[in-house]
Amino acid sequence: MDSGFIEGIPKAELHLHIEGSLEPELMFAFAERNQVALPYSSVEEVRKAYQFTNLQTFLDIYYAGAKVLLVEQDFYDLTWAYLTRMQEQNVKHVEIFFDPQTHTERGVAFQTVVEGIDNALKDARREYGISSYLILCFLRHLSEEDAFKTLEQALPFREKIIGVGLDSSEVGHPPEKFKRVFARASEEGFRRVAHAGEEGPPEYIIDALNLLGVERIDHGVKCEKDSQLVARLAESKMPLTVCPLSNTRLCVFAKMEDHNLKRLLDLGLCVTVNSDDPAYFGGYMNENLKAVQEALDLSKEDLVEVVKNGFRASFLPEVAVQSRLQAVDDYASKTFDG
Ligand code: HPA
Ligand code: ZN
């Protein structure tokens, strides 16, 4: 298939950690201007260090990299760099995760983080026509109490944050640990998502649905071990925000040919494709789409379905979803042979 089809199709990204879009070049620039020491001497050395064997080996390096982010301008520049790439890749809508605890723990104010990101989102709405929402993720390796404190800090910025999520080390930190925080977030009107079934068992996906009341499952690829759960996900059209390059780089699947995205799609699940932490995993939206298309021999119909799922699974109002779906259909009908 010609890769121009993937490049040109209008798409949405729903699983992107803004801290994971920190390219080594930008990491060095921020380290220099903020006078933060890095354990690497060159961009090449940083890239060489990005060899992961599981989620935790990645997280250790990802949290270390985030230490260069200190002032509002850093968060603005980071977000703007990501959005500029998205504009180049024909991404029309993004829902971005951020990890406030990674920053507040180091003495960076919650407000500094949110305003830097939010100002870039506003500018991209105006300059690129990219619509966007921001989702606050709780770090699940930290305590429930810490998550409650973070939720409190978010309340004054209520109109800038559409929802809450759950990320970081999955195994050993089940959804149940955050049941009360998610209930409180829901009372405050936040939408809910959670990472589940990336490395953890299908039970974590079930608990994210039943105990946290999530509207999307981030990753979710481990659902396949439980056929009843797969049937439930298909029946309810519960979206999975799948991140193919992340999954192979973190050894969830040994190689892309082993990925279950196509099987889940064929079983009727609402599968979306996303980049997770593109600066660490070797690709943004288009690279992820190309990688799965090639390895799993996705047809144009499969690609169109996956891309449409991205808009259907978004938190955009229904009228906006419908107009984005129409734009995808218009693009596809223009580019289909005949
Ligand atoms: N999983 C869990 N936590 C994360 C991830 C992920 O893929 N990326 C950034 N934080
Ligand atoms: Zn993620």
Side-chain angles (χ1 to χ4, degrees), residues 48-277:
K48 258 194 230 142
Y50 292 174
Q51 308 233 351
F52 314 114
T53 51
N54 57 26
L55 175 59
Q56 194 60 49
T57 56
F58 154 71
L59 290 172
D60 293 343
I61 288 188
Y62 161 83
Y63 294 131
K67 290 190 176 146
V68 302
L69 301 165
L70 281 182
V71 297
E72 189 177 315
Q73 190 69 42
D74 301 334
F75 291 94
Y76 179 93
D77 291 346
L78 174 69
T79 309
W80 185 252
Y82 163 70
L83 292 163
T84 300
R85 293 240 192 189
M86 293 307 90
Q87 199 255 349
E88 290 161 5
Q89 296 206 347
N90 286 306
V91 173
K92 306 296 185 192
H93 177 71
V94 298
E95 300 189 1
I96 295 183
F97 295 133
F98 75 118
D99 290 340
Q101 289 154 297
T102 300
H103 313 299
T104 52
E105 250 188 352
R106 299 179 291 116
V108 177
F110 189 96
Q111 176 171 6
T112 300
V113 181
V114 175
E115 296 206 330
I117 299 171
D118 183 64
N119 284 331
L121 295 178
K122 282 199 184 106
D123 286 353
R125 245 165 254 153
R126 202 182 55 242
E127 289 194 34
Y128 297 150
I130 298 177
S131 56
S132 53
Y133 295 126
L134 190 55
I135 299 173
L136 180 166
C137 275
F138 301 114
L139 298 181
R140 67 202 303 159
H141 69 275
L142 299 178
S143 67
E144 179 195 37
E145 187 191 353
D146 223 335
F148 265 116
K149 268 191 215 147
T150 305
L151 182 59
E152 286 297 324
Q153 290 175 315
L155 296 180
F157 303 97
R158 196 53 214 83
E159 79 291 352
K160 299 188 196 305
I161 301 170
I162 197 166
V164 298
L166 190 60
D167 67 359
S168 192
S169 319
E170 185 183 7
V171 175
H173 301 285
E176 190 179 6
K177 183 174 165 186
F178 297 95
K179 183 170 74 177
R180 286 177 291 220
V181 184
F182 269 63
R184 177 77 212 289
S186 177
E187 282 164 21
E188 292 289 344
F190 289 99
R191 313 293 293 261
R192 287 161 289 166
V193 299
H195 284 54
E198 177 183 15
E199 286 186 340
E203 291 73 42
Y204 282 24
I205 301 175
I206 296 168
D207 287 352
L209 295 169
N210 295 350
L211 305 180
L212 305 185
V214 298
E215 298 170 71
R216 297 198 291 251
I217 296 287
D218 295 313
H219 293 295
V221 292
K222 295 283 187 193
C223 69
E224 217 180 8
K225 292 183 176 168
D226 178 341
S227 57
Q228 253 189 324
L229 172 60
V230 169
R232 174 180 176 182
L233 295 170
E235 173 92 3
S236 59
K237 289 279 166 210
M238 176 60 59
L240 302 188
T241 63
V242 175
C243 307
L245 287 170
S246 166
N247 292 153
T248 51
R249 294 296 285 270
L250 301 185
C251 309
V252 172
F253 298 98
K255 53 184 193 306
M256 198 60 87
E257 286 73 14
D258 299 338
H259 203 290
N260 62 7
L261 178 140
K262 168 79 173 148
R263 290 198 296 276
L264 296 176
L265 193 63
D266 288 346
L267 287 166
L269 274 74
C270 181
V271 174
T272 69
V273 166
N274 309 271
S275 74
D276 208 4
D277 302 281

Side-chain angles (χ1 to χ4, degrees), residues 318-334:
E318 190 53 29
V319 279
V321 171
Q322 289 308 325
S323 80
R324 306 289 172 129
L325 293 178
Q326 187 61 51
V328 176
D329 280 335
D330 292 347
Y331 174 88
S333 63
K334 264 193 312 208

